[in-house]
Amino acid sequence: MGLTDNSKKKDNKVYRGAYKYMRNANVYSEETFEVFKEKSDSSMLFQSQIMSRVSTGELLNITVDYKINKDYIPTLVVINKVLGNDNVVETFSFNSKNNTISYTFESSNESKTTILNTTPKFFISTPAVCTSMLYLRSKKFDTTGKNIYNVLASSNQWSYEDEPVFNAITVRRMNQSSETRTIDGSSVQGVDYKIEQQADSDDYDKDTPSLRCFVSQHVTIPYFLEDGHGTKIEVKYLNNLSERELD
């Protein structure tokens, strides 16, 4: 399942890229993606495919269709997971008229739909790295302090266990200006962010688990993301097709 091919017009494709997922320098997964922009309403569609080999030797294939409106709010998200004979599809559909999200979980054994209330500004978490920082443009960012975002995430894997829940994350910009980094011998320019789960109190704990993400200036597509404990996701290539050049 996914969005229709009518959304994938070649003329509307603006970016394409790929990532490698590494744990202690060993590549364990890869992601490829394409980004399409609709000129009529400035909405965008991110289409990503993640492939990993699990411990049993089977291939895990995850596809993500992530559609946002001109305000960078997700309007339709479809996550399709395939592992052997197992196939699960999770669908999030946003209704802006009443600020609700319809969540559907489908597998060969069950189908479950629930309606969730939401604030007008929110983000939906998926396995795709290319969409992981889109919330940065959903509201004005305070470059000198912490920024809090409302993130909806599902913990369901191959069976329905519970409805998705909202969690708050804190995002800080580590430098006031953009920086130049070298990735695989190529220089890229972006902004360094630190991401943490929002604490219950205002006390800042330096030992709180966090992620660092170096974000490009191209619709917030990350160049790399790392957890500081040996896991890192790094861009292999990012093509800006609207300018027909390699970033």
Side-chain angles (χ1 to χ4, degrees):
M1 296 179 62
L3 303 184
T4 65
D5 288 338
N6 291 333
S7 299
K8 299 189 292 185
K9 296 178 182 178
K10 185 176 179 180
D11 290 344
N12 290 354
K13 188 186 299 185
V14 288
Y15 293 101
R16 65 183 176 196
Y19 294 99
K20 55 183 177 181
Y21 293 54
M22 297 175 288
R23 186 175 294 115
N24 298 322
N26 295 314
V27 177
Y28 67 90
S29 183
E30 293 192 343
E31 174 181 339
T32 57
F33 67 90
E34 296 179 327
V35 183
F36 303 84
K37 185 171 184 177
E38 182 56 55
K39 296 179 181 178
S40 61
D41 60 5
S42 295
S43 64
M44 282 187 286
L45 171 64
F46 289 71
Q47 295 192 314
S48 173
Q49 181 177 36
I50 304 143
M51 301 186 73
S52 305
R53 188 74 63 178
V54 300
S55 58
T56 60
E58 292 180 296
L59 188 65
L60 172 63
N61 188 352
I62 303 174
T63 59
V64 177
D65 288 353
Y66 203 110
K67 188 172 184 179
I68 59 173
N69 62 22
K70 62 181 179 59
D71 298 316
Y72 282 73
I73 303 301
T75 57
L76 181 61
V77 176
V78 181
I79 305 169
N80 191 338
K81 298 182 289 188
V82 179
L83 178 63
N85 294 323
D86 293 323
N87 183 195
V88 164
V89 180
E90 294 177 281
T91 304
F92 302 79
S93 181
F94 175 52
N95 186 332
S96 60
K97 294 181 180 179
N98 57 15
N99 285 331
T100 60
I101 298 172
S102 172
Y103 168 75
T104 301
F105 179 95
E106 295 178 278
S107 70
S108 58
N109 300 319
E110 58 185 328
S111 179
K112 176 77 173 179
T113 299
T114 186
I115 304 297
L116 307 168
N117 293 317
T118 182
T119 57
K121 303 286 187 180
F122 66 94
F123 178 68
I124 297 174
S125 177
T126 78
V129 172
C130 64
T131 63
S132 61
M133 301 297 287
L134 286 171
Y135 54 78
L136 290 176
R137 294 197 180 178
S138 65
K139 62 181 182 179
K140 186 174 181 179
F141 192 86
D142 179 2
T143 60
T144 61
K146 66 179 182 180
N147 297 263
I148 299 174
Y149 295 92
N150 205 22
V151 179
L152 180 64
S154 166
S155 61
N156 297 320
Q157 297 299 321
W158 302 105
S159 61
Y160 183 90
E161 302 295 337
D162 204 352
E163 67 181 37
V165 296
F166 281 100
N167 293 291
I169 61 169
T170 297
V171 182
R172 290 179 172 87
R173 185 166 174 167
M174 303 309 293
N175 295 288
Q176 294 303 306
S177 59
S178 60
E179 305 172 64
T180 299
R181 303 278 182 92
T182 301
I183 301 177
D184 281 346
S186 298
S187 294
V188 296
Q189 193 171 47
V191 179
D192 187 14
Y193 293 92
K194 187 174 185 178
I195 308 156
E196 299 170 308
Q197 183 109 6
Q198 170 68 5
D200 294 333
S201 69
D202 290 332
D203 295 332
Y204 177 64
D205 184 357
K206 66 179 181 179
D207 296 323
T208 300
S210 64
L211 297 173
R212 294 292 286 270
C213 191
F214 191 62
V215 180
S216 78
Q217 298 174 343
H218 304 291
V219 294
T220 73
I221 297 172
Y223 281 126
F224 69 78
L225 187 150
E226 58 186 342
D227 66 356
H229 299 285
T231 299
K232 182 176 182 179
I233 303 171
E234 184 177 276
V235 71
K236 293 174 64 179
Y237 62 88
L238 174 58
N239 291 112
N240 183 350
L241 302 178
S242 61
E243 298 178 2
R244 294 297 187 267
E245 64 180 21
L246 180 66
D247 300 311

